[in-house]
Amino acid sequence: MDINQATDAVERFVTSFSDASKRTAREIKVRPSGDDATHIKVWVDLGPGVDDAACHAWAEACKAAVAKVTGEFTVEVRAESL
């Protein structure tokens, strides 16, 4: 699997991912890193009213779960509440 295929797989996974509190992302951006050919960067908006701790917990849970999809690629997940 090349980085573009892995990026597509990550995007499909994150689109349907929900954390323990059943929170899902409202907006998702998944891109291969321009700095490192083995990294994929994920940014999600969890919607308004989500505190920083919940955003961090969601990002960590997503990162752990998506590792099963990516194989040799490293995934960075950033979740925000906008």
Side-chain angles (χ1 to χ4, degrees), residues 12-65:
R12 284 191 304 275
F13 180 86
V14 174
T15 298
S16 63
F17 177 77
S18 64
D19 65 0
S21 65
K22 305 295 182 209
R23 185 173 288 121
T24 59
R26 290 187 171 195
E27 184 179 349
I28 300 166
K29 292 181 184 174
V30 181
R31 304 283 188 270
S33 173
D35 302 328
D36 188 330
T38 64
H39 280 65
I40 298 169
K41 295 184 178 183
V42 177
W43 172 85
V44 301
D45 173 15
L46 298 177
V50 181
D51 65 28
D52 288 342
C55 287
H56 179 73
W58 193 97
E60 289 300 312
C62 183
K63 182 178 176 179

